[in-house]
Amino acid sequence: MSAASFDAELAALLEEITPDVVEHHERSGAHPGKLLARVLGTGLAGCVLDPAGPPGGRWRFAAAVAAIAERWTALAESVHLQVLATCGLAEHGTAGQRERYLDGLRSGTLVAANCLNEREAGSDLAAMTTAATRTADGYEISGVKEWIGHAPVADVFNVYAKTSGGGLGGITCFLLDAGAPGLTVRERAKVAGLGGLPAGDVHLDRVRVGPEAVLGRAGRGIRVAHPLFTQGRIGIAGCALGLGRAALRRAVAHASAHHQFGRPILEFQGIAFPIAEASTELAAARALVRVAAEAVEHGGGDAELLAAQAKLKATTAASQAAAVAVRVLGSRAYDEDEPALRWAGEARLLELLQGTNEIQKIAISSRLKFLG
């Protein structure tokens, strides 16, 4: 598909994401599975998954996710999660695994979830307690993964578990079907924002799998998880760019239309300056995300550094823009049909996902020592 036809198809889809559609899903908590499949039906996943994909594919993906997030953050995050959960299969899957799952995941007819996070092992993967014990015919997996996006609606789970030793070298990734005996999902209650993106805890009670369930090599699961530290951060940054742009646009529209003392409040410095600062931060974030996406695409040595910087910058800028929107709207931000407060909550969530922003700062500082 040409860039022009892709853009036209995506633009037509975006027109269908009306405030009424968003409000329905946010209130009901229903996952927009049909919209996810239609977005992926444009071929968007190929921008990330295909080694011989279009030049600038990673940035095209981030920009598309941003455009979706400008209409609806939960759908954009769902698209990002789906593609991210497919990266390991696309790169490390066996012929049998790819034949069974890949087309469905690329098209969205199957939904995937990455099961990495645990209560005591969020960013510290070495502290993971979910374990896969060898059996005569495979493995037996037990443990609990918490706050897993897509879990209640997922058909396929990428489950990371300890198979040997300590540290990161003993982690293995397994591909599990939703119907596997011993695998249950407990849906989490709705949080502030992302109501259309269901999340849950994945409980694994002696789930038995054969060796064919191993994704990649046993003990090398951290290699399968590597896209989480590059593409994962680019995807979150894309969501943040769109959310921030929506919040900024809302703030400007209100400040232009609302009058005090006979003038639009946008003409008062107390309103104009925060909006100007937020717009500048978003513009800078967009430029950095593009640079980082290109670095990840080409596999440069600074890809992880730039991805962490992009995630930090974009999510911080989104939170700033959402906060400005709430301040500019004032009491109207609390109206039932006003999305500003939801954006503020979602922006804070984006600061936590794919490694908290504090973790991004650690990742950045640890790589800066190589600059000298």
PDB file of all heavy atoms in Angstrom, residues 193-227:
ATOM      1  N   GLY A 193      -9.242   6.695  33.129  1.00  0.00           N
ATOM      2  CA  GLY A 193      -8.871   6.701  31.725  1.00  0.00           C
ATOM      3  C   GLY A 193      -8.626   5.305  31.186  1.00  0.00           C
ATOM      4  O   GLY A 193      -8.603   4.315  31.925  1.00  0.00           O
ATOM      5  N   LEU A 194      -8.449   5.217  29.874  1.00  0.00           N
ATOM      6  CA  LEU A 194      -8.231   3.944  29.174  1.00  0.00           C
ATOM      7  C   LEU A 194      -9.344   2.938  29.494  1.00  0.00           C
ATOM      8  O   LEU A 194      -9.095   1.746  29.618  1.00  0.00           O
ATOM      9  CB  LEU A 194      -6.863   3.354  29.510  1.00  0.00           C
ATOM     10  CG  LEU A 194      -5.635   4.174  29.112  1.00  0.00           C
ATOM     11  CD1 LEU A 194      -4.352   3.430  29.469  1.00  0.00           C
ATOM     12  CD2 LEU A 194      -5.645   4.502  27.624  1.00  0.00           C
ATOM     13  N   GLY A 195     -10.584   3.452  29.612  1.00  0.00           N
ATOM     14  CA  GLY A 195     -11.693   2.566  29.912  1.00  0.00           C
ATOM     15  C   GLY A 195     -11.972   1.557  28.819  1.00  0.00           C
ATOM     16  O   GLY A 195     -12.510   0.485  29.078  1.00  0.00           O
ATOM     17  N   GLY A 196     -11.590   1.864  27.576  1.00  0.00           N
ATOM     18  CA  GLY A 196     -11.793   0.940  26.469  1.00  0.00           C
ATOM     19  C   GLY A 196     -10.663  -0.041  26.271  1.00  0.00           C
ATOM     20  O   GLY A 196     -10.658  -0.796  25.293  1.00  0.00           O
ATOM     21  N   LEU A 197      -9.704  -0.037  27.197  1.00  0.00           N
ATOM     22  CA  LEU A 197      -8.574  -0.967  27.112  1.00  0.00           C
ATOM     23  C   LEU A 197      -8.594  -1.859  28.353  1.00  0.00           C
ATOM     24  O   LEU A 197      -8.019  -1.507  29.381  1.00  0.00           O
ATOM     25  CB  LEU A 197      -7.251  -0.208  27.036  1.00  0.00           C
ATOM     26  CG  LEU A 197      -6.010  -1.099  26.895  1.00  0.00           C
ATOM     27  CD1 LEU A 197      -5.964  -1.732  25.514  1.00  0.00           C
ATOM     28  CD2 LEU A 197      -4.744  -0.299  27.143  1.00  0.00           C
ATOM     29  N   PRO A 198      -9.265  -3.007  28.280  1.00  0.00           N
ATOM     30  CA  PRO A 198      -9.372  -3.867  29.460  1.00  0.00           C
ATOM     31  C   PRO A 198      -8.014  -4.408  29.887  1.00  0.00           C
ATOM     32  O   PRO A 198      -7.159  -4.723  29.057  1.00  0.00           O
ATOM     33  CB  PRO A 198     -10.303  -4.992  29.003  1.00  0.00           C
ATOM     34  CG  PRO A 198     -10.213  -4.987  27.517  1.00  0.00           C
ATOM     35  CD  PRO A 198      -9.952  -3.572  27.115  1.00  0.00           C
ATOM     36  N   ALA A 199      -7.819  -4.505  31.189  1.00  0.00           N
ATOM     37  CA  ALA A 199      -6.586  -5.056  31.757  1.00  0.00           C
ATOM     38  C   ALA A 199      -6.964  -6.039  32.850  1.00  0.00           C
ATOM     39  O   ALA A 199      -8.054  -5.970  33.431  1.00  0.00           O
ATOM     40  CB  ALA A 199      -5.706  -3.940  32.312  1.00  0.00           C
ATOM     41  N   GLY A 200      -6.079  -6.959  33.143  1.00  0.00           N
ATOM     42  CA  GLY A 200      -6.372  -7.948  34.173  1.00  0.00           C
ATOM     43  C   GLY A 200      -5.116  -8.620  34.679  1.00  0.00           C
ATOM     44  O   GLY A 200      -4.009  -8.397  34.172  1.00  0.00           O
ATOM     45  N   ASP A 201      -5.294  -9.432  35.703  1.00  0.00           N
ATOM     46  CA  ASP A 201      -4.206 -10.234  36.259  1.00  0.00           C
ATOM     47  C   ASP A 201      -4.298 -11.640  35.666  1.00  0.00           C
ATOM     48  O   ASP A 201      -5.382 -12.227  35.597  1.00  0.00           O
ATOM     49  CB  ASP A 201      -4.317 -10.315  37.777  1.00  0.00           C
ATOM     50  CG  ASP A 201      -4.206  -8.950  38.449  1.00  0.00           C
ATOM     51  OD1 ASP A 201      -3.704  -8.023  37.794  1.00  0.00           O
ATOM     52  OD2 ASP A 201      -4.629  -8.828  39.609  1.00  0.00           O
ATOM     53  N   VAL A 202      -3.162 -12.161  35.244  1.00  0.00           N
ATOM     54  CA  VAL A 202      -3.109 -13.491  34.636  1.00  0.00           C
ATOM     55  C   VAL A 202      -2.550 -14.474  35.665  1.00  0.00           C
ATOM     56  O   VAL A 202      -1.401 -14.349  36.095  1.00  0.00           O
ATOM     57  CB  VAL A 202      -2.234 -13.488  33.367  1.00  0.00           C
ATOM     58  CG1 VAL A 202      -2.163 -14.887  32.757  1.00  0.00           C
ATOM     59  CG2 VAL A 202      -2.781 -12.490  32.351  1.00  0.00           C
ATOM     60  N   HIS A 203      -3.394 -15.417  36.069  1.00  0.00           N
ATOM     61  CA  HIS A 203      -3.006 -16.415  37.066  1.00  0.00           C
ATOM     62  C   HIS A 203      -2.646 -17.714  36.348  1.00  0.00           C
ATOM     63  O   HIS A 203      -3.439 -18.233  35.550  1.00  0.00           O
ATOM     64  CB  HIS A 203      -4.144 -16.645  38.056  1.00  0.00           C
ATOM     65  CG  HIS A 203      -4.417 -15.461  38.930  1.00  0.00           C
ATOM     66  ND1 HIS A 203      -4.089 -15.432  40.270  1.00  0.00           N
ATOM     67  CD2 HIS A 203      -4.977 -14.254  38.654  1.00  0.00           C
ATOM     68  CE1 HIS A 203      -4.438 -14.256  40.783  1.00  0.00           C
ATOM     69  NE2 HIS A 203      -4.985 -13.529  39.826  1.00  0.00           N
ATOM     70  N   LEU A 204      -1.494 -18.223  36.663  1.00  0.00           N
ATOM     71  CA  LEU A 204      -0.989 -19.442  36.037  1.00  0.00           C
ATOM     72  C   LEU A 204      -0.809 -20.498  37.127  1.00  0.00           C
ATOM     73  O   LEU A 204       0.063 -20.376  37.997  1.00  0.00           O
ATOM     74  CB  LEU A 204       0.344 -19.170  35.338  1.00  0.00           C
ATOM     75  CG  LEU A 204       0.285 -18.034  34.306  1.00  0.00           C
ATOM     76  CD1 LEU A 204       1.581 -17.265  34.262  1.00  0.00           C
ATOM     77  CD2 LEU A 204      -0.061 -18.592  32.934  1.00  0.00           C
ATOM     78  N   ASP A 205      -1.665 -21.515  37.108  1.00  0.00           N
ATOM     79  CA  ASP A 205      -1.649 -22.548  38.137  1.00  0.00           C
ATOM     80  C   ASP A 205      -1.266 -23.884  37.511  1.00  0.00           C
ATOM     81  O   ASP A 205      -2.094 -24.601  36.972  1.00  0.00           O
ATOM     82  CB  ASP A 205      -3.026 -22.628  38.800  1.00  0.00           C
ATOM     83  CG  ASP A 205      -3.075 -23.642  39.934  1.00  0.00           C
ATOM     84  OD1 ASP A 205      -1.998 -24.096  40.394  1.00  0.00           O
ATOM     85  OD2 ASP A 205      -4.193 -23.995  40.361  1.00  0.00           O
ATOM     86  N   ARG A 206       0.033 -24.142  37.536  1.00  0.00           N
ATOM     87  CA  ARG A 206       0.575 -25.402  36.999  1.00  0.00           C
ATOM     88  C   ARG A 206       0.112 -25.625  35.558  1.00  0.00           C
ATOM     89  O   ARG A 206      -0.360 -26.697  35.195  1.00  0.00           O
ATOM     90  CB  ARG A 206       0.172 -26.574  37.901  1.00  0.00           C
ATOM     91  CG  ARG A 206       0.628 -26.400  39.341  1.00  0.00           C
ATOM     92  CD  ARG A 206       0.195 -27.550  40.226  1.00  0.00           C
ATOM     93  NE  ARG A 206       0.864 -28.792  39.841  1.00  0.00           N
ATOM     94  CZ  ARG A 206       0.681 -29.972  40.437  1.00  0.00           C
ATOM     95  NH1 ARG A 206      -0.183 -30.054  41.450  1.00  0.00           N
ATOM     96  NH2 ARG A 206       1.324 -31.043  40.043  1.00  0.00           N
ATOM     97  N   VAL A 207       0.286 -24.607  34.746  1.00  0.00           N
ATOM     98  CA  VAL A 207      -0.059 -24.700  33.326  1.00  0.00           C
ATOM     99  C   VAL A 207       0.996 -25.543  32.627  1.00  0.00           C
ATOM    100  O   VAL A 207       2.189 -25.215  32.647  1.00  0.00           O
ATOM    101  CB  VAL A 207      -0.122 -23.299  32.682  1.00  0.00           C
ATOM    102  CG1 VAL A 207      -0.434 -23.409  31.192  1.00  0.00           C
ATOM    103  CG2 VAL A 207      -1.174 -22.442  33.378  1.00  0.00           C
ATOM    104  N   ARG A 208       0.576 -26.620  32.007  1.00  0.00           N
ATOM    105  CA  ARG A 208       1.521 -27.546  31.371  1.00  0.00           C
ATOM    106  C   ARG A 208       1.583 -27.267  29.864  1.00  0.00           C
ATOM    107  O   ARG A 208       0.543 -27.163  29.201  1.00  0.00           O
ATOM    108  CB  ARG A 208       1.115 -28.998  31.631  1.00  0.00           C
ATOM    109  CG  ARG A 208       1.111 -29.367  33.113  1.00  0.00           C
ATOM    110  CD  ARG A 208       0.733 -30.814  33.319  1.00  0.00           C
ATOM    111  NE  ARG A 208       1.778 -31.714  32.839  1.00  0.00           N
ATOM    112  CZ  ARG A 208       2.777 -32.173  33.593  1.00  0.00           C
ATOM    113  NH1 ARG A 208       2.870 -31.799  34.856  1.00  0.00           N
ATOM    114  NH2 ARG A 208       3.672 -33.002  33.098  1.00  0.00           N
ATOM    115  N   VAL A 209       2.789 -27.114  29.355  1.00  0.00           N
ATOM    116  CA  VAL A 209       3.002 -26.864  27.926  1.00  0.00           C
ATOM    117  C   VAL A 209       4.135 -27.742  27.429  1.00  0.00           C
ATOM    118  O   VAL A 209       4.999 -28.184  28.207  1.00  0.00           O
ATOM    119  CB  VAL A 209       3.350 -25.381  27.653  1.00  0.00           C
ATOM    120  CG1 VAL A 209       2.198 -24.475  28.036  1.00  0.00           C
ATOM    121  CG2 VAL A 209       4.622 -24.977  28.395  1.00  0.00           C
ATOM    122  N   GLY A 210       4.133 -27.989  26.129  1.00  0.00           N
ATOM    123  CA  GLY A 210       5.219 -28.729  25.526  1.00  0.00           C
ATOM    124  C   GLY A 210       6.350 -27.799  25.120  1.00  0.00           C
ATOM    125  O   GLY A 210       6.219 -26.569  25.165  1.00  0.00           O
ATOM    126  N   PRO A 211       7.480 -28.338  24.703  1.00  0.00           N
ATOM    127  CA  PRO A 211       8.616 -27.508  24.299  1.00  0.00           C
ATOM    128  C   PRO A 211       8.296 -26.618  23.100  1.00  0.00           C
ATOM    129  O   PRO A 211       8.958 -25.598  22.891  1.00  0.00           O
ATOM    130  CB  PRO A 211       9.713 -28.522  23.976  1.00  0.00           C
ATOM    131  CG  PRO A 211       8.979 -29.814  23.728  1.00  0.00           C
ATOM    132  CD  PRO A 211       7.780 -29.773  24.602  1.00  0.00           C
ATOM    133  N   GLU A 212       7.263 -26.969  22.338  1.00  0.00           N
ATOM    134  CA  GLU A 212       6.901 -26.159  21.166  1.00  0.00           C
ATOM    135  C   GLU A 212       6.311 -24.811  21.575  1.00  0.00           C
ATOM    136  O   GLU A 212       6.163 -23.918  20.739  1.00  0.00           O
ATOM    137  CB  GLU A 212       5.901 -26.908  20.284  1.00  0.00           C
ATOM    138  CG  GLU A 212       4.509 -27.072  20.852  1.00  0.00           C
ATOM    139  CD  GLU A 212       4.387 -28.220  21.846  1.00  0.00           C
ATOM    140  OE1 GLU A 212       5.405 -28.918  22.087  1.00  0.00           O
ATOM    141  OE2 GLU A 212       3.274 -28.411  22.373  1.00  0.00           O
ATOM    142  N   ALA A 213       5.982 -24.634  22.873  1.00  0.00           N
ATOM    143  CA  ALA A 213       5.451 -23.363  23.349  1.00  0.00           C
ATOM    144  C   ALA A 213       6.537 -22.336  23.623  1.00  0.00           C
ATOM    145  O   ALA A 213       6.235 -21.149  23.800  1.00  0.00           O
ATOM    146  CB  ALA A 213       4.622 -23.578  24.613  1.00  0.00           C
ATOM    147  N   VAL A 214       7.791 -22.763  23.661  1.00  0.00           N
ATOM    148  CA  VAL A 214       8.884 -21.829  23.919  1.00  0.00           C
ATOM    149  C   VAL A 214       9.054 -20.904  22.717  1.00  0.00           C
ATOM    150  O   VAL A 214       9.177 -21.355  21.577  1.00  0.00           O
ATOM    151  CB  VAL A 214      10.205 -22.579  24.190  1.00  0.00           C
ATOM    152  CG1 VAL A 214      11.377 -21.599  24.284  1.00  0.00           C
ATOM    153  CG2 VAL A 214      10.092 -23.401  25.465  1.00  0.00           C
ATOM    154  N   LEU A 215       9.046 -19.607  22.977  1.00  0.00           N
ATOM    155  CA  LEU A 215       9.259 -18.609  21.917  1.00  0.00           C
ATOM    156  C   LEU A 215      10.712 -18.182  21.967  1.00  0.00           C
ATOM    157  O   LEU A 215      11.184 -17.653  22.984  1.00  0.00           O
ATOM    158  CB  LEU A 215       8.346 -17.405  22.122  1.00  0.00           C
ATOM    159  CG  LEU A 215       8.430 -16.290  21.075  1.00  0.00           C
ATOM    160  CD1 LEU A 215       8.154 -16.825  19.668  1.00  0.00           C
ATOM    161  CD2 LEU A 215       7.450 -15.172  21.407  1.00  0.00           C
ATOM    162  N   GLY A 216      11.441 -18.417  20.887  1.00  0.00           N
ATOM    163  CA  GLY A 216      12.881 -18.184  20.901  1.00  0.00           C
ATOM    164  C   GLY A 216      13.571 -19.373  21.542  1.00  0.00           C
ATOM    165  O   GLY A 216      13.149 -20.517  21.372  1.00  0.00           O
ATOM    166  N   ARG A 217      14.602 -19.100  22.332  1.00  0.00           N
ATOM    167  CA  ARG A 217      15.347 -20.172  22.998  1.00  0.00           C
ATOM    168  C   ARG A 217      15.117 -20.123  24.495  1.00  0.00           C
ATOM    169  O   ARG A 217      14.940 -19.049  25.076  1.00  0.00           O
ATOM    170  CB  ARG A 217      16.844 -20.030  22.701  1.00  0.00           C
ATOM    171  CG  ARG A 217      17.200 -20.253  21.239  1.00  0.00           C
ATOM    172  CD  ARG A 217      18.663 -19.974  20.993  1.00  0.00           C
ATOM    173  NE  ARG A 217      19.535 -20.794  21.833  1.00  0.00           N
ATOM    174  CZ  ARG A 217      20.850 -20.650  21.895  1.00  0.00           C
ATOM    175  NH1 ARG A 217      21.450 -19.699  21.186  1.00  0.00           N
ATOM    176  NH2 ARG A 217      21.571 -21.431  22.675  1.00  0.00           N
ATOM    177  N   ALA A 218      15.118 -21.296  25.122  1.00  0.00           N
ATOM    178  CA  ALA A 218      14.986 -21.364  26.571  1.00  0.00           C
ATOM    179  C   ALA A 218      16.126 -20.593  27.228  1.00  0.00           C
ATOM    180  O   ALA A 218      17.289 -20.717  26.830  1.00  0.00           O
ATOM    181  CB  ALA A 218      14.999 -22.817  27.032  1.00  0.00           C
ATOM    182  N   GLY A 219      15.774 -19.777  28.220  1.00  0.00           N
ATOM    183  CA  GLY A 219      16.778 -18.983  28.915  1.00  0.00           C
ATOM    184  C   GLY A 219      17.166 -17.709  28.192  1.00  0.00           C
ATOM    185  O   GLY A 219      17.976 -16.928  28.696  1.00  0.00           O
ATOM    186  N   ARG A 220      16.594 -17.472  27.018  1.00  0.00           N
ATOM    187  CA  ARG A 220      16.910 -16.274  26.237  1.00  0.00           C
ATOM    188  C   ARG A 220      15.683 -15.385  26.043  1.00  0.00           C
ATOM    189  O   ARG A 220      15.580 -14.654  25.059  1.00  0.00           O
ATOM    190  CB  ARG A 220      17.475 -16.682  24.869  1.00  0.00           C
ATOM    191  CG  ARG A 220      18.752 -17.518  24.931  1.00  0.00           C
ATOM    192  CD  ARG A 220      19.909 -16.698  25.463  1.00  0.00           C
ATOM    193  NE  ARG A 220      21.147 -17.474  25.504  1.00  0.00           N
ATOM    194  CZ  ARG A 220      22.014 -17.568  24.500  1.00  0.00           C
ATOM    195  NH1 ARG A 220      21.743 -16.918  23.365  1.00  0.00           N
ATOM    196  NH2 ARG A 220      23.096 -18.276  24.611  1.00  0.00           N
ATOM    197  N   GLY A 221      14.766 -15.441  26.989  1.00  0.00           N
ATOM    198  CA  GLY A 221      13.549 -14.660  26.862  1.00  0.00           C
ATOM    199  C   GLY A 221      13.779 -13.160  26.835  1.00  0.00           C
ATOM    200  O   GLY A 221      12.984 -12.415  26.261  1.00  0.00           O
ATOM    201  N   ILE A 222      14.886 -12.726  27.421  1.00  0.00           N
ATOM    202  CA  ILE A 222      15.160 -11.290  27.435  1.00  0.00           C
ATOM    203  C   ILE A 222      15.406 -10.780  26.021  1.00  0.00           C
ATOM    204  O   ILE A 222      15.159  -9.605  25.720  1.00  0.00           O
ATOM    205  CB  ILE A 222      16.344 -10.955  28.366  1.00  0.00           C
ATOM    206  CG1 ILE A 222      16.340  -9.482  28.749  1.00  0.00           C
ATOM    207  CG2 ILE A 222      17.657 -11.377  27.751  1.00  0.00           C
ATOM    208  CD1 ILE A 222      15.154  -9.067  29.568  1.00  0.00           C
ATOM    209  N   ARG A 223      15.883 -11.637  25.131  1.00  0.00           N
ATOM    210  CA  ARG A 223      16.055 -11.242  23.727  1.00  0.00           C
ATOM    211  C   ARG A 223      14.692 -11.086  23.054  1.00  0.00           C
ATOM    212  O   ARG A 223      14.504 -10.181  22.236  1.00  0.00           O
ATOM    213  CB  ARG A 223      16.895 -12.280  22.983  1.00  0.00           C
ATOM    214  CG  ARG A 223      18.338 -12.371  23.446  1.00  0.00           C
ATOM    215  CD  ARG A 223      19.129 -13.294  22.571  1.00  0.00           C
ATOM    216  NE  ARG A 223      19.194 -12.825  21.188  1.00  0.00           N
ATOM    217  CZ  ARG A 223      19.707 -13.516  20.182  1.00  0.00           C
ATOM    218  NH1 ARG A 223      20.198 -14.734  20.397  1.00  0.00           N
ATOM    219  NH2 ARG A 223      19.719 -13.017  18.968  1.00  0.00           N
ATOM    220  N   VAL A 224      13.759 -11.958  23.399  1.00  0.00           N
ATOM    221  CA  VAL A 224      12.400 -11.835  22.864  1.00  0.00           C
ATOM    222  C   VAL A 224      11.757 -10.543  23.369  1.00  0.00           C
ATOM    223  O   VAL A 224      10.999  -9.880  22.651  1.00  0.00           O
ATOM    224  CB  VAL A 224      11.553 -13.055  23.270  1.00  0.00           C
ATOM    225  CG1 VAL A 224      10.134 -12.934  22.722  1.00  0.00           C
ATOM    226  CG2 VAL A 224      12.204 -14.350  22.777  1.00  0.00           C
ATOM    227  N   ALA A 225      12.081 -10.183  24.610  1.00  0.00           N
ATOM    228  CA  ALA A 225      11.485  -8.992  25.229  1.00  0.00           C
ATOM    229  C   ALA A 225      12.154  -7.698  24.796  1.00  0.00           C
ATOM    230  O   ALA A 225      11.658  -6.615  25.132  1.00  0.00           O
ATOM    231  CB  ALA A 225      11.574  -9.118  26.753  1.00  0.00           C
ATOM    232  N   HIS A 226      13.251  -7.752  24.051  1.00  0.00           N
ATOM    233  CA  HIS A 226      14.007  -6.545  23.734  1.00  0.00           C
ATOM    234  C   HIS A 226      13.168  -5.438  23.092  1.00  0.00           C
ATOM    235  O   HIS A 226      13.364  -4.248  23.399  1.00  0.00           O
ATOM    236  CB  HIS A 226      15.202  -6.880  22.824  1.00  0.00           C
ATOM    237  CG  HIS A 226      16.070  -5.697  22.549  1.00  0.00           C
ATOM    238  ND1 HIS A 226      16.009  -4.980  21.365  1.00  0.00           N
ATOM    239  CD2 HIS A 226      17.001  -5.074  23.316  1.00  0.00           C
ATOM    240  CE1 HIS A 226      16.874  -3.985  21.409  1.00  0.00           C
ATOM    241  NE2 HIS A 226      17.486  -4.018  22.575  1.00  0.00           N
ATOM    242  N   PRO A 227      12.213  -5.751  22.188  1.00  0.00           N
ATOM    243  CA  PRO A 227      11.403  -4.661  21.624  1.00  0.00           C
ATOM    244  C   PRO A 227      10.652  -3.836  22.661  1.00  0.00           C
ATOM    245  O   PRO A 227      10.280  -2.692  22.389  1.00  0.00           O
ATOM    246  CB  PRO A 227      10.432  -5.403  20.693  1.00  0.00           C
ATOM    247  CG  PRO A 227      11.148  -6.653  20.311  1.00  0.00           C
ATOM    248  CD  PRO A 227      11.907  -7.041  21.539  1.00  0.00           C
TER     249      PRO A 227
END
